[in-house]
Amino acid sequence: MKQSKVSIGLINPKSPENVSSVMRTAGNFRVDSVIYTGKRYPRAIELNSCTVDMSRKLSKNIPLSGVTDLIDDAPENSKIVCIELAENAIALPEYLHPDNAFYIFGPEDGSISQQDIDRADAVVYVPTVGCMNLAATVTVVLYDRLSKFSQTAGKAFDDNELIRHSRDINNSLKVGD
């Protein structure tokens, strides 16, 4: 089975807590890189250096870098997938994720530009009532991707091995015997 590549792009994120949560999710779902635009996130980190780091060990090896333009700096050979509440977008349950994807998420208090929407290979929305938090949206999209790839490619991991590796050291629960 060929190795797929997944990257995340964040447009001008403002909340260090949200970016930290995105990084934790990126680690949980084996994302290759996270890039962002704008000055709000670095400024917020600079102004509030006491922000709690929610990202955990899993995401420490995932590069997080600032760029000027997400699409111009998209990972090579990736399909650009904008996640946005846009008319005529594809509902996430109906969407077939590409092997190599670069998912772009808009700012917490705005939308992806029409110019970026027009340059995307696909525009997908999460069918909720109202909009979700940035980190929650990233989590839902990456879980959907994992779920659909697992259904089409079979299990990519041993359940108990994954559970033992992933759980907290204080957890030794078992179901049944």
Side-chain angles (χ1 to χ4, degrees):
M1 187 166 127
K2 64 182 172 181
Q3 183 68 25
S4 61
K5 297 279 187 180
V6 178
S7 296
I8 294 173
L10 306 174
I11 296 174
N12 201 19
K14 69 176 182 175
S15 163
E17 293 81 11
N18 252 343
V19 173
S20 186
S21 291
V22 167
M23 292 304 294
R24 182 175 184 170
T25 296
N28 289 340
F29 289 97
R30 298 180 178 139
V31 168
D32 296 289
S33 65
V34 178
I35 62 177
Y36 65 89
T37 61
K39 306 258 186 253
R40 296 190 306 176
Y41 170 65
R43 181 166 160 68
I45 289 291
E46 184 179 300
L47 292 174
N48 189 5
S49 60
C50 296
T51 301
V52 175
D53 181 6
M54 306 250 315
S55 61
R56 304 281 171 111
K57 285 190 298 188
L58 283 173
S59 63
K60 296 301 182 198
N61 295 326
I62 298 172
L64 171 65
S65 54
V67 299
T68 303
D69 185 285
L70 290 176
I71 294 179
D72 288 344
D73 290 303
E76 197 173 318
N77 300 320
S78 291
K79 295 290 185 185
I80 297 168
V81 183
C82 290
I83 309 299
E84 186 61 84
L85 289 171
E87 292 181 24
N88 301 317
I90 303 164
L92 184 61
E94 307 302 318
Y95 184 63
L96 299 175
H97 298 267
D99 283 336
N100 298 317
F102 179 48
Y103 297 102
I104 296 177
F105 297 85
E108 293 99 324
D109 55 355
S111 298
I112 298 172
S113 73
Q114 186 66 54
Q115 178 184 4
D116 285 348
I117 293 291
D118 293 342
R119 294 170 67 193
D121 294 298
V123 179
V124 176
Y125 77 99
V126 179
T128 60
V129 176
C131 58
M132 292 191 310
N133 165 283
L134 172 63
T137 305
V138 171
T139 302
V140 167
V141 169
L142 292 178
Y143 177 78
D144 183 76
R145 177 186 175 85
L146 173 70
S147 173
K148 288 175 181 170
F149 271 95
S150 293
Q151 289 172 7
T152 59
K155 282 190 180 181
F157 49 82
D158 174 272
D159 289 334
N160 285 333
E161 183 179 328
L162 179 66
I163 290 167
R164 284 189 294 271
H165 176 76
S166 299
R167 66 184 172 189
D168 185 270
I169 61 171
N170 297 318
N171 178 346
S172 60
L173 296 171
K174 293 182 181 180
V175 177
D177 303 359

